[in-house]
């Protein structure tokens, strides 16, 4: 039992924090907010690539550093804390994981080294419109290796060169690899609630598509990929929630009303204590998820859903109460509070909304209980 | 207890419903973007509508005739507001002037000049803004530092105001300034009204996190105004603040914005596991909870009306309503984004369902929990004034204003 990062992991995390404090201050996110067309900061992205972060958890056989998932979680926590405007989650937590989960040896050999070196940026394209993503909601179709349909919104869809696309094939929904720079693909900028994480509407019209994983198993494979991404994103959420709480605490110490620090009022103290408790709930569940991910434990699906639900709730509370603690100033464009508010919701929606994950969580609890009963304990 | 219209009320409702239908301004030419408050096209329609109402005697229904009102009852006015809302006509440009500031002005000043400010305000020709808050005086509304110094028959004002809704398009403002820093803070304040074009008044818009620009900073540099523009007594500013804040909170019952109906409209268009979000049992449960709060806000506004029509002061329901309503706005916009799932990310009015109204509300809602008294202040009021619990230890009450501890 060890509920903590190891010393090496801590050192990595400290390094990452120092690095991001230097090259990803909130002014970088603000640059993208003010000029959302690009949807990320290419200079910052280049720095991350230089550091080798893209390959952190990708096995050495596929050109990565093979450090392991707890290390990747540590980086995620710091990226979340910095609200960094980079396509890391799309390319690493989702695209690379999709290849690792579903790819053939050949596909992995061909693409993972490029992802690890940052030469190739990938994303996943699943949603087609408002509402929960279900099998029936997928209209995009692959016929004779050609994909047609519309995916919207696709986070990082403008900058990615490849996408894993969920589409109907001859035997039901499957995952397909598509070259976004190739023929039959048109992409449009999409304005979103978090402009620091750009998105696109992508229309496919006979774009060449290559099957990834077993045909007809798209929903199942996607769910496995999303479980892994959910844990990594939970660390981004946790990092953001911690930082939002620190901002609120710092402001509550500085700001006076009625001749006293606002932090001296119990209304504010209890508010921030509530946020702290929620963050601890998120931390506990996220750490458990990190362990499950790094050890490929059978608990992974349950731990992932719990990590995601807890982290989404914590970041929501922390980001909205950070604004509330700041008063009017917190509601301005100029203040930094809204970066966290926007990012909190982006992260909570980008793998499917919390209500979807609560449902998955309850389903998995049923399986767990059934298994416990079967074991007779 | 009776929540139905009396025969007279029903007749009045029918009359104004027909009148509104016959006279409502055309909004069909507005783009989705322009349908949002403070957009030029939206404001134009609002001004036109206000003038039409004023000409027909619906500009300020419950005001005395002497002020240019129609001497109708508070209930008539509420009925008219409900019918306006029903017809999709909800504009906020004139509320600050007509429902908060001018009634307070007339409560304290009865002279001719003050009275002459009224007719153009009722017609929507002149817009008013509230210049109370300052960088270090928000919740602590008596903490105003802008200074007014007497010079002959004039006052010379220096300082800075902030968060002033609509100041960028306002013709007049009502402001609070400190006229005596040597007495305890509530005693050294004085209220004034002023023309926003007075030399030395500079309005700078503030961009809010929603991207909108209707809040402002107002800088006051050697602004000279005559003593005749003082509202109430020298040192009586706190009373004026209280009058306006009471008016403000009493007005919250009739607040506009997305409600449970809109949320249902959205839910019926959004795919879920089976059917639409409206078929999802968890959503239905959430909706039931939302409705009871929303309905309470609506019904509590009737309690305010009942008090007003009996000539008694409204009770704490103003604070309860404000607290519930702003929390609801945050809750319902958040829930809407969740049922939209990935689609909740898209905020482009041209491609998001219902013109992205919920996404826009989502980014606005944090401000609603702050403006007009924060959640925490509302709860303090309920705890202290309603439940009679002791107040916080005060370090700012009986000391001269200049000696009160201050941070940033
Ligand atoms: C959308 C909007 C419109 C507005 N319109 C106007 C306008 O037209 N004219 C105008 O003059 N002003 C306006 N305001 C200003 C508004 O009244 C203030 O923002 C509000 O009173 C809060 O003040 P503040 O921003 O200084 O926050 P602060 O007072 O600094 O509050 C910071 C935090 O401390 C908490 N706090 C403060 N005191 C206490 C206490 N005693 N106990 C517990 N908690 C406490 C607050 O609840 C808040 O969470 C508007 C504000 C907004 C957001």
């Amino acid at each position: 039992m060890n509920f903590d990062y190891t010393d090496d992991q801590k050192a990595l995390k400290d390094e990452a924090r120092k690095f991001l404090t230097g090259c990803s201050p909130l002014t970088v996110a603000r640059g993208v907010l003010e000029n959302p067309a690009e949807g990320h900061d290419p200079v910052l992205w280049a720095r991350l690539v230089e550091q080798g972060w893209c390959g952190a958890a990708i096995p050495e056989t596929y050109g990565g550093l093979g450090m392991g998932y707890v290390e990747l979680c540590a980086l995620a926590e710091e990226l979340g804390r910095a609200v960094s405007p980079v396509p890391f989650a799309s390319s690493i937590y989702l695209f690379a994981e999709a290849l690792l989960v579903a790819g053939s040896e050949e596909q992995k050999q061909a693409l993972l080294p490029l992802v690890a070196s940052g030469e190739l940026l990938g994303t996943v394209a699943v949603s087609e419109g408002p509402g929960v993503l279900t099998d029936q909601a997928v209209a995009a179709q692959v016929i004779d290796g050609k994909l047609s349909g519309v995916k919207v919104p696709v986070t990082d869809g403008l900058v990615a060169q490849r996408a894993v696309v969920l589409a109907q094939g001859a035997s039901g929904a499957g995952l397909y690899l598509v070259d976004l720079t190739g023929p039959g693909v048109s992409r449009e900028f999409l304005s979103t609630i978090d402009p620091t994480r750009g998105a696109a509407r992508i229309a496919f019209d006979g774009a060449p598509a290559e099957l990834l994983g077993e045909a007809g198993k798209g929903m199942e494979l996607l769910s496995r990929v999303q479980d892994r991404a959910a844990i990594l994103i939970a660390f981004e959420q946790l990092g953001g929630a911690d930082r939002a709480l620190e901002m609120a605490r710092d402001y509550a110490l500085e700001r006076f009303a009625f001749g006293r620090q606002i932090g001296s009022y119990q209304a504010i103290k209890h508010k921030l204590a509530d946020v702290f408790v929620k963050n601890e709930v998120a931390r506990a569940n996220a750490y458990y998820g990190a362990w499950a991910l790094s050890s490929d434990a059978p608990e992974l699906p349950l731990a992932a859903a719990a990590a995601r639900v807890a982290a989404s709730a914590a970041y929501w509370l922390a980001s909205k109460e950070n604004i509330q603690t700041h008063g009017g100033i917190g509601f301005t464009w100029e203040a930094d509070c809204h970066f966290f508010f926007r990012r909190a919701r982006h992260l909570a929606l980008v793998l499917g909304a919390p209500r979807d994950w609560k449902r998955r969580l309850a389903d998995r609890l049923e399986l767990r209980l059934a298994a416990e009963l079967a074991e007779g304990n | 207890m009776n929540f139905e219209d009396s025969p007279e009320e029903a007749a009045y409702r029918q009359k104004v419903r027909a009148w509104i239908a016959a006279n409502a301004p055309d909004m069909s030419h507005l783009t989705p973007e322009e349908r949002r408050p403070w957009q030029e096209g939206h404001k134009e329609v609002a001004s036109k509508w206000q003038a039409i109402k004023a000409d027909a005697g619906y500009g300020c229904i419950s005001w005395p005739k002497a002020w240019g009102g129609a001497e109708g009852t508070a209930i008539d006015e509420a009925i008219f507001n409900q019918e306006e809302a029903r017809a999709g006509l909800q504009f906020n440009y004139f509320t600050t002037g007509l429902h908060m500031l001018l009634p307070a002005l007339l409560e304290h000043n009865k002279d001719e000049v003050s009275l002459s400010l009224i007719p153009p305000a009722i017609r929507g020709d002149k817009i008013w803004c509230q210049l109370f808050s300052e960088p270090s005086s928000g919740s602590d509304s008596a903490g105003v530092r802008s200074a007014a110094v007497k010079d002959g028959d004039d006052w010379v004002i220096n300082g800075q105001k902030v968060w002033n809704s609509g100041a960028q398009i306002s013709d007049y403002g009502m402001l609070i300034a400190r006229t005596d820093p040597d007495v305890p803070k509530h005693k050294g304040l004085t209220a004034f009204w002023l023309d926003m074009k007075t030399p030395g008044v500079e309005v700078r818009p503030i961009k809010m996190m929603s991207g909108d620009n209707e809040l402002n900073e107002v800088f006051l540099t050697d602004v000279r105004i005559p003593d005749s523009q003082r509202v109430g007594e020298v040192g009586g500013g706190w009373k004026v603040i209280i009058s306006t804040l009471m008016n403000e909170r009493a007005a919250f019952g009739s607040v506009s914005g997305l409600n449970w109906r809109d949320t249902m409209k959205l839910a019926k268009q959004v795919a879920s596991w089976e059917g639409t979000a409206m078929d999802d049992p968890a959503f239905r449960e959430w909706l039931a909870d939302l409705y009871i709060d929303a309905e309470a806000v609506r019904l509590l506004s009737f309690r305010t009306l009942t008090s007003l029509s009996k000539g008694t002061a409204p009770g704490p329901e103003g604070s309860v309503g404000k607290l519930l309503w702003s929390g609801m706005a945050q809750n319902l916009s958040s829930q809407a984004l969740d049922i939209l799932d990935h689609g909740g990310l898209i905020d482009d009015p041209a491609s998001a369902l219902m013109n992205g109204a919920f996404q826009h509300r989502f980014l606005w809602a944090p401000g609603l929990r702050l403006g007009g008294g924060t959640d925490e202040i509302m709860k303090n009021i309920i705890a202290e004034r309603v439940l009679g619990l002791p107040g916080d230890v005060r370090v700012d009450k009986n000391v001269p204003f200049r000696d009160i501890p201050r941070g940033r």
Side-chain angles (χ1 to χ4, degrees):
Chain A
M1 188 77 50
N2 177 19
F3 186 96
D4 204 356
Y5 289 114
T6 63
D7 288 345
D8 282 352
Q9 288 159 350
K10 276 187 199 155
L12 173 77
K13 198 161 168 291
D14 285 350
E15 275 306 306
R17 179 165 313 181
K18 269 192 220 127
F19 174 72
L20 290 173
T21 308
C23 68
S24 184
L26 289 171
T27 46
V28 171
R30 188 166 290 278
V32 180
L33 179 75
E34 297 292 356
N35 191 358
E38 233 169 335
H40 77 300
D41 187 278
V43 177
L44 174 61
W45 177 241
R47 299 287 312 269
L48 296 190
V49 167
E50 245 170 63
Q51 293 287 308
W53 286 20
C54 292
I58 293 176
E60 280 163 306
T61 34
Y62 301 121
L65 299 173
M67 289 202 287
Y69 283 97
V70 178
E71 284 74 6
L72 187 57
C73 287
L75 296 180
E77 193 176 337
E78 294 306 319
L79 283 167
R81 196 182 157 79
V83 210
S84 295
V86 286
F88 195 72
S90 297
S91 203
I92 309 304
Y93 316 156
L94 284 161
F95 186 74
E97 288 304 317
L99 288 168
L100 285 165
V101 165
S104 66
E105 192 51 35
E106 211 184 323
Q107 287 167 327
K108 288 195 259 194
Q109 289 289 357
L111 296 175
L112 282 171
L114 297 175
V115 175
S117 66
E119 285 160 86
L120 177 71
L121 228 163
T123 188
V124 296
V126 294
S127 170
E128 298 186 12
V132 185
L133 181 72
T134 56
D135 207 342
Q136 309 93 274
V138 179
Q141 223 181 353
V142 174
I143 300 173
D144 295 335
K146 305 271 187 212
L147 168 67
S148 294
V150 174
K151 291 290 171 182
V152 61
V154 181
T155 297
D156 298 312
L158 279 186
V159 287
Q161 292 117 17
R162 293 284 172 110
V164 170
V165 181
L166 179 68
Q168 302 293 347
S171 45
L175 297 183
Y176 295 87
L177 269 170
V178 180
D179 182 352
L180 297 179
T181 61
V185 179
S186 50
R187 311 192 247 180
E188 258 174 59
F189 168 83
L190 204 58
S191 168
T192 66
I193 56 167
D194 182 5
T196 67
R197 299 291 292 108
R201 176 182 187 277
I202 307 188
F204 299 96
D205 184 10
E210 177 188 325
L211 187 66
L212 181 77
E214 205 178 323
K217 293 274 192 258
M219 293 308 281
E220 220 177 285
L221 291 171
L222 179 67
S223 170
R224 277 173 58 202
V225 173
Q226 286 184 332
D227 283 349
R228 305 172 74 78
I231 293 163
L232 294 159
I233 285 183
F235 276 87
E236 287 204 2
Q237 292 169 308
L238 181 61
D242 279 342
R243 173 113 177 249
L245 173 58
E246 286 163 27
M247 277 176 76
R249 192 262 329 267
D250 291 349
Y251 190 76
L253 286 168
E254 264 173 36
R255 173 74 173 174
F256 277 59
F258 306 94
R260 285 170 45 179
Q261 289 162 298
I262 59 168
S264 72
Y265 296 113
Q266 238 163 34
I268 298 293
K269 283 186 206 170
H270 286 187
K271 177 196 297 303
L272 300 189
D274 285 344
V275 172
F276 181 80
V277 170
K278 268 261 193 294
N279 286 4
E280 289 301 292
V281 171
R283 194 177 329 280
N285 282 286
Y287 278 29
Y288 186 63
W291 163 78
L293 180 62
S294 66
S295 57
D296 238 331
E299 287 86 347
L300 178 77
L302 177 56
R308 177 155 178 79
V309 170
S312 299
Y315 203 0
W316 168 233
L317 184 74
S319 64
K320 74 190 168 87
E321 298 311 323
N322 181 33
I323 296 174
Q324 183 68 18
T325 303
H326 276 75
I329 203 85
F331 183 52
T332 61
W333 186 264
E334 208 183 311
D336 291 331
C337 301
H338 66 127
F339 288 114
F340 297 86
F341 189 79
R342 290 170 183 277
R343 182 62 65 83
R345 189 51 57 124
H346 166 85
L347 293 175
L349 293 180
V350 78
L351 295 178
R355 71 197 260 272
D356 186 355
W357 284 85
K358 285 182 185 171
R359 200 162 145 137
R360 295 186 206 188
L361 177 51
D363 289 347
R364 291 163 189 185
L365 283 174
E366 278 192 309
L367 293 176
R368 157 113 170 233
L369 189 64
E372 281 174 7
L373 290 175
E375 277 171 22
N377 45 355
Chain B
M1 193 82 50
N2 183 359
F3 286 101
E4 288 200 322
D5 288 343
S6 69
E8 300 79 46
E9 287 160 2
Y12 183 77
R13 188 182 294 281
Q14 236 179 6
K15 182 176 105 178
V16 299
R17 185 175 292 183
W19 183 84
I20 290 172
N23 293 281
D26 179 23
M27 290 178 73
S28 60
H29 61 287
L30 298 181
T31 63
E33 196 94 38
E34 284 172 338
R35 268 158 216 253
R36 288 184 181 161
W38 307 96
Q39 303 293 325
E40 195 43 47
H42 187 263
K43 199 211 133 198
E44 244 165 60
V45 172
S47 301
K48 215 191 291 169
W49 176 234
Q50 186 65 24
I52 295 172
K53 287 196 311 187
D55 288 343
Y58 294 125
C60 248
I61 294 166
S62 66
W63 280 16
K65 288 227 164 81
W67 297 3
E71 266 172 37
T73 64
I75 293 181
D76 288 348
E77 187 159 271
I79 290 173
F80 190 90
N81 289 342
Q82 289 164 7
E83 291 303 315
E84 264 187 308
R86 192 171 166 272
L89 298 167
Q90 290 183 307
F91 305 112
N92 290 325
Y93 305 93
F94 316 106
T95 334
T96 305
L98 297 178
H99 295 289
M100 287 174 61
L101 302 178
L102 289 168
L105 176 74
L106 295 175
E107 190 183 321
H108 296 276
N109 290 20
K110 318 266 179 224
D111 59 305
E112 239 167 73
V113 183
S114 301
L115 278 171
S116 73
L117 297 168
I118 307 300
I122 295 185
R123 279 188 56 83
D125 293 338
K126 299 290 181 195
I127 296 182
W128 282 70
C129 66
Q130 182 194 16
L131 305 172
F132 287 15
S133 301
E134 295 188 0
S136 55
S137 169
S139 301
D140 185 3
S141 44
V144 164
R145 293 187 197 170
S146 290
V149 176
K150 193 80 189 285
D151 182 26
D153 275 345
D154 293 344
W155 292 87
V156 178
I157 302 178
N158 279 288
Q160 188 203 331
K161 296 292 173 180
V162 73
W163 318 127
N164 314 108
S165 307
Q168 81 281 12
I169 54 161
S170 288
D171 303 283
Y172 295 105
M174 177 124 96
L175 85 88
I176 306 291
R178 184 156 305 277
T179 40
D180 187 353
D182 296 316
V183 294
K185 66 179 187 177
H186 293 87
K187 302 204 170 111
L189 300 170
T190 304
F192 301 89
W193 64 265
L194 85 173
D195 187 323
M196 293 297 283
K197 287 191 263 332
T198 313
V201 177
E202 192 203 336
V203 179
R204 288 189 212 154
I206 299 174
K207 189 168 175 181
M208 296 172 296
M209 59 174 271
S210 61
D212 301 283
N213 288 306
E214 70 253 37
L215 297 192
N216 302 273
E217 295 178 285
V218 176
F219 293 87
L220 307 160
T221 312
D222 293 331
V223 176
R224 181 171 284 272
I225 55 178
D227 188 51
S228 58
Q229 290 179 207
R230 172 165 47 82
V231 181
E233 321 234 308
V234 175
W238 181 245
K239 272 196 203 143
V240 179
I241 294 179
I242 292 295
S243 310
T244 59
L245 293 187
M246 291 317 286
N247 294 339
E248 180 174 23
R249 280 165 207 160
F252 268 116
S254 56
V255 286
S256 55
L258 296 168
N259 61 28
W260 56 266
R261 280 190 188 83
D262 304 297
T263 315
M264 284 176 76
K265 255 184 236 158
L266 182 80
K268 284 169 182 279
Q269 297 176 56
V270 173
S272 190
W273 290 278
E274 274 141 32
T276 68
M278 197 57 226
D279 301 310
D280 172 22
F283 175 80
R284 297 175 76 83
E285 223 179 276
W286 171 87
L287 181 68
D289 285 334
L290 176 79
Y291 173 79
I292 57 170
D293 282 358
E295 193 61 356
V297 172
R298 189 179 75 90
L299 296 171
L300 285 171
S301 76
F302 296 160
R303 192 199 289 171
T304 307
L305 282 179
T306 305
S307 312
L308 288 174
S309 56
K310 283 186 188 152
T312 51
E317 64 272 1
S319 298
V320 173
K322 158 84 220 297
L323 189 61
L324 281 174
W325 169 75
S326 56
M328 231 166 57
Q330 186 155 68
N331 175 12
L332 83 79
S333 55
S334 169
Q335 176 72 15
L337 264 58
D338 272 8
I339 61 171
L340 286 163
D341 207 275
H342 281 84
L345 292 170
I346 304 168
D347 73 348
D348 173 14
S351 56
L353 279 182
M354 295 173 80
N355 300 325
F358 285 94
Q359 285 82 349
H360 187 244
R361 194 63 163 174
F362 177 73
L363 294 173
W364 234 111
L368 301 174
R369 292 177 56 200
L370 297 164
T374 66
D375 283 8
E376 291 72 29
I377 295 300
M378 293 301 126
K379 290 183 190 175
N380 282 350
I381 290 172
I382 293 166
E384 294 170 18
R385 307 230 189 106
V386 182
L387 302 178
L389 297 170
D392 272 305
V393 175
R394 295 289 292 258
V395 297
D396 60 338
K397 266 231 134 127
N398 300 313
V399 288
F401 176 71
R402 54 169 89 252
D403 297 335
I404 295 171
R406 41 177 74 175
R408 96 175 206 183

